Amino acid sequence: RKGNVIITGASSGLGLATAKALADTEKWHIIMACRNFLKAEKAAKSVGITKENYTVMHLDLSSLDSVRQFVDTFRRSGRPLDALVCNAAIYLPTAKEPTYTAEGFELSVGTNHLGHFLLSRLLLDDLKKSDFPQKRLIIVGSITGNTNTLAGNVPPKANLGDLRGLAGGLNGLNSSAMIDGGEFDGAKAYKDSKVCNMLTMQEFHRRYHEETGVTFSSLYPGCIATTGLFREHIPLFRLLFPPFQKYITKGYVSEEEAGKRLAQVVNDSSLTKSGVYWSWNKNSASFENQLSQEASDEEKARKLWEVSEKLVGLA
Ligand code: NDP
């Protein structure tokens, strides 16, 4: 049988390119988990994914009720789950004030981390039940959260501190809207959320790899300077960022190429090692990359897991 893969945020950018790359293998049925049903349908058509290779299911990661509803809908479909790709994200670099999810968490961390945390915790049971030879749970990371890289050192740098803002509910009322308890900064909130994504992947690996046989992975697909992720940025930035990445940093990668990379992490039989943060060199060969000190801090990963469990109502 074909494998079934859920991809969050498959309506644009990396998620859509990955859906296309996997559909082209003829080995996967793609469940496009998206907040905008019509946009997702149009996106699938625009890249030529044929009807029998995908299903759109509604998911808004900025609402925990929606996450739970999505899981119910998926289970009712009767499909086994063989791979989950947590890809969706928002980035609000020019926001002056925090905005919030349905439950009142700062929107970037609430969507990119907490929504995915609940989703992947709930769907782990489904992955466990699958009889597929290689079961995978992938959480997309980024270089920007890794302070051991040049890009990760562009201020404001990611820093989760002692998680006091998160532990306080991340609501800007009785706690800060930032994980470290500091003042709101939209660009930093995104980077913090990516550190959470990478820490969560490793904590999943430590807690569940042996017991379940599921491969847990993260990756940095390269700088895909053309995606919608930068839609909130100032126009001058959006104009100059793609050529800057192409010709100056040379970190630029097309959406199509990035999609092929993420598709490898889902599908390639040589990328089965669990707990790895994958990256690609200039010749597009994959390698196991090093995470920054904070993004590989075991104690912080455990604490993040426990605090997140409480916030999403699992503990
Ligand atoms: P896009 O903005 O093109 O795609 C993000 C997707 O997330 C969209 O489909 C969007 O939906 C979806 N999304 C946003 N909010 C929600 C929500 N509340 N519920 C459900 N879906 C939501 O960006 P990219 O393709 O660039 O980003 C994909 C991933 O790649 C992210 O995890 C990002 O951190 C990572 N990444 C990107 C890099 C880059 O250079 N672009 C570099 C490194 C990592 P909609 O279409 O409805 O807006």
Side-chain angles (χ1 to χ4, degrees), residues 23-39:
D24 283 351
T25 65
E26 302 277 329
K27 290 192 216 149
W28 292 91
H29 184 86
I30 325 291
I31 292 96
M32 300 173 69
C34 298
R35 61 178 166 175
N36 183 333
F37 196 91
L38 204 61
K39 182 176 175 187

mmCIF file of all heavy atoms in Angstrom, residues 23-39:
data_model
loop_
_atom_site.group_PDB
_atom_site.id
_atom_site.type_symbol
_atom_site.label_atom_id
_atom_site.label_comp_id
_atom_site.label_asym_id
_atom_site.label_seq_id
_atom_site.Cartn_x
_atom_site.Cartn_y
_atom_site.Cartn_z
ATOM 1 N N ALA A 23 4.287 13.202 -3.742
ATOM 2 C CA ALA A 23 3.240 12.702 -4.653
ATOM 3 C C ALA A 23 3.892 12.148 -5.917
ATOM 4 O O ALA A 23 3.462 11.119 -6.451
ATOM 5 C CB ALA A 23 2.260 13.818 -4.993
ATOM 6 N N ASP A 24 4.944 12.799 -6.396
ATOM 7 C CA ASP A 24 5.627 12.361 -7.614
ATOM 8 C C ASP A 24 6.281 10.977 -7.481
ATOM 9 O O ASP A 24 6.526 10.309 -8.479
ATOM 10 C CB ASP A 24 6.702 13.383 -8.032
ATOM 11 C CG ASP A 24 6.088 14.612 -8.693
ATOM 12 O OD1 ASP A 24 4.867 14.580 -8.979
ATOM 13 O OD2 ASP A 24 6.819 15.611 -8.899
ATOM 14 N N THR A 25 6.569 10.557 -6.241
ATOM 15 C CA THR A 25 7.165 9.230 -6.065
ATOM 16 C C THR A 25 6.134 8.118 -6.287
ATOM 17 O O THR A 25 6.512 6.950 -6.412
ATOM 18 C CB THR A 25 7.730 9.026 -4.632
ATOM 19 O OG1 THR A 25 6.637 9.059 -3.698
ATOM 20 C CG2 THR A 25 8.759 10.083 -4.267
ATOM 21 N N GLU A 26 4.825 8.485 -6.252
ATOM 22 C CA GLU A 26 3.725 7.512 -6.376
ATOM 23 C C GLU A 26 3.663 6.560 -5.188
ATOM 24 O O GLU A 26 2.954 5.563 -5.226
ATOM 25 C CB GLU A 26 3.857 6.682 -7.674
ATOM 26 C CG GLU A 26 3.878 7.507 -8.952
ATOM 27 C CD GLU A 26 2.474 7.875 -9.427
ATOM 28 O OE1 GLU A 26 1.559 7.076 -9.179
ATOM 29 O OE2 GLU A 26 2.304 8.974 -10.002
ATOM 30 N N LYS A 27 4.429 6.861 -4.132
ATOM 31 C CA LYS A 27 4.436 5.966 -2.964
ATOM 32 C C LYS A 27 3.675 6.551 -1.783
ATOM 33 O O LYS A 27 3.550 5.908 -0.746
ATOM 34 C CB LYS A 27 5.886 5.722 -2.520
ATOM 35 C CG LYS A 27 6.692 4.879 -3.472
ATOM 36 C CD LYS A 27 7.977 4.487 -2.777
ATOM 37 C CE LYS A 27 9.152 4.443 -3.717
ATOM 38 N NZ LYS A 27 10.403 4.786 -3.074
ATOM 39 N N TRP A 28 3.201 7.784 -1.910
ATOM 40 C CA TRP A 28 2.589 8.458 -0.768
ATOM 41 C C TRP A 28 1.253 9.089 -1.104
ATOM 42 O O TRP A 28 1.079 9.672 -2.161
ATOM 43 C CB TRP A 28 3.531 9.560 -0.243
ATOM 44 C CG TRP A 28 4.764 9.005 0.385
ATOM 45 C CD1 TRP A 28 5.956 8.748 -0.243
ATOM 46 C CD2 TRP A 28 4.935 8.614 1.758
ATOM 47 N NE1 TRP A 28 6.853 8.220 0.660
ATOM 48 C CE2 TRP A 28 6.255 8.134 1.884
ATOM 49 C CE3 TRP A 28 4.107 8.625 2.874
ATOM 50 C CZ2 TRP A 28 6.757 7.665 3.108
ATOM 51 C CZ3 TRP A 28 4.602 8.166 4.081
ATOM 52 C CH2 TRP A 28 5.915 7.685 4.196
ATOM 53 N N HIS A 29 0.332 8.999 -0.133
ATOM 54 C CA HIS A 29 -0.880 9.801 -0.158
ATOM 55 C C HIS A 29 -0.668 10.941 0.831
ATOM 56 O O HIS A 29 -0.297 10.704 1.975
ATOM 57 C CB HIS A 29 -2.101 8.969 0.236
ATOM 58 C CG HIS A 29 -3.380 9.745 0.121
ATOM 59 N ND1 HIS A 29 -4.079 9.838 -1.064
ATOM 60 C CD2 HIS A 29 -4.038 10.510 1.027
ATOM 61 C CE1 HIS A 29 -5.132 10.613 -0.873
ATOM 62 N NE2 HIS A 29 -5.134 11.034 0.382
ATOM 63 N N ILE A 30 -0.886 12.190 0.377
ATOM 64 C CA ILE A 30 -0.571 13.349 1.199
ATOM 65 C C ILE A 30 -1.832 13.884 1.863
ATOM 66 O O ILE A 30 -2.809 14.218 1.173
ATOM 67 C CB ILE A 30 0.005 14.515 0.345
ATOM 68 C CG1 ILE A 30 0.865 14.008 -0.819
ATOM 69 C CG2 ILE A 30 0.713 15.534 1.235
ATOM 70 C CD1 ILE A 30 2.152 13.387 -0.480
ATOM 71 N N ILE A 31 -1.814 13.984 3.177
ATOM 72 C CA ILE A 31 -2.886 14.695 3.880
ATOM 73 C C ILE A 31 -2.382 16.102 4.131
ATOM 74 O O ILE A 31 -1.451 16.321 4.904
ATOM 75 C CB ILE A 31 -3.296 14.007 5.200
ATOM 76 C CG1 ILE A 31 -3.970 12.663 4.894
ATOM 77 C CG2 ILE A 31 -4.290 14.856 5.981
ATOM 78 C CD1 ILE A 31 -3.100 11.491 4.952
ATOM 79 N N MET A 32 -2.965 17.056 3.396
ATOM 80 C CA MET A 32 -2.557 18.454 3.517
ATOM 81 C C MET A 32 -3.327 19.067 4.679
ATOM 82 O O MET A 32 -4.534 19.284 4.583
ATOM 83 C CB MET A 32 -2.837 19.201 2.212
ATOM 84 C CG MET A 32 -2.094 18.605 1.012
ATOM 85 S SD MET A 32 -2.558 19.349 -0.583
ATOM 86 C CE MET A 32 -1.870 20.999 -0.458
ATOM 87 N N ALA A 33 -2.643 19.304 5.799
ATOM 88 C CA ALA A 33 -3.282 19.823 7.014
ATOM 89 C C ALA A 33 -3.152 21.345 7.006
ATOM 90 O O ALA A 33 -2.104 21.874 7.336
ATOM 91 C CB ALA A 33 -2.618 19.225 8.246
ATOM 92 N N CYS A 34 -4.226 22.028 6.603
ATOM 93 C CA CYS A 34 -4.131 23.466 6.308
ATOM 94 C C CYS A 34 -5.274 24.258 6.926
ATOM 95 O O CYS A 34 -6.378 23.751 7.087
ATOM 96 C CB CYS A 34 -4.159 23.663 4.792
ATOM 97 S SG CYS A 34 -2.751 22.873 3.975
ATOM 98 N N ARG A 35 -4.995 25.540 7.194
ATOM 99 C CA ARG A 35 -6.024 26.383 7.811
ATOM 100 C C ARG A 35 -6.966 26.975 6.778
ATOM 101 O O ARG A 35 -8.051 27.433 7.120
ATOM 102 C CB ARG A 35 -5.374 27.491 8.621
ATOM 103 C CG ARG A 35 -4.505 28.436 7.806
ATOM 104 C CD ARG A 35 -3.922 29.548 8.656
ATOM 105 N NE ARG A 35 -2.851 30.232 7.926
ATOM 106 C CZ ARG A 35 -2.221 31.295 8.367
ATOM 107 N NH1 ARG A 35 -2.539 31.784 9.546
ATOM 108 N NH2 ARG A 35 -1.261 31.861 7.666
ATOM 109 N N ASN A 36 -6.538 27.011 5.534
ATOM 110 C CA ASN A 36 -7.369 27.586 4.473
ATOM 111 C C ASN A 36 -7.625 26.511 3.415
ATOM 112 O O ASN A 36 -6.776 26.223 2.576
ATOM 113 C CB ASN A 36 -6.659 28.808 3.885
ATOM 114 C CG ASN A 36 -7.494 29.520 2.829
ATOM 115 O OD1 ASN A 36 -8.341 28.914 2.165
ATOM 116 N ND2 ASN A 36 -7.254 30.818 2.689
ATOM 117 N N PHE A 37 -8.830 25.928 3.500
ATOM 118 C CA PHE A 37 -9.180 24.765 2.691
ATOM 119 C C PHE A 37 -9.056 25.050 1.188
ATOM 120 O O PHE A 37 -8.419 24.308 0.445
ATOM 121 C CB PHE A 37 -10.617 24.348 3.035
ATOM 122 C CG PHE A 37 -10.961 22.973 2.571
ATOM 123 C CD1 PHE A 37 -10.771 21.879 3.410
ATOM 124 C CD2 PHE A 37 -11.456 22.760 1.295
ATOM 125 C CE1 PHE A 37 -11.075 20.607 2.984
ATOM 126 C CE2 PHE A 37 -11.758 21.480 0.868
ATOM 127 C CZ PHE A 37 -11.574 20.402 1.712
ATOM 128 N N LEU A 38 -9.648 26.180 0.774
ATOM 129 C CA LEU A 38 -9.682 26.515 -0.644
ATOM 130 C C LEU A 38 -8.279 26.781 -1.188
ATOM 131 O O LEU A 38 -7.908 26.336 -2.277
ATOM 132 C CB LEU A 38 -10.567 27.744 -0.847
ATOM 133 C CG LEU A 38 -11.158 27.903 -2.227
ATOM 134 C CD1 LEU A 38 -12.056 26.729 -2.573
ATOM 135 C CD2 LEU A 38 -11.950 29.212 -2.310
ATOM 136 N N LYS A 39 -7.484 27.514 -0.393
ATOM 137 C CA LYS A 39 -6.108 27.819 -0.801
ATOM 138 C C LYS A 39 -5.324 26.516 -0.998
ATOM 139 O O LYS A 39 -4.563 26.371 -1.950
ATOM 140 C CB LYS A 39 -5.433 28.694 0.263
ATOM 141 C CG LYS A 39 -4.016 29.084 -0.102
ATOM 142 C CD LYS A 39 -3.375 30.026 0.905
ATOM 143 C CE LYS A 39 -1.918 30.274 0.523
ATOM 144 N NZ LYS A 39 -1.184 31.032 1.540
#
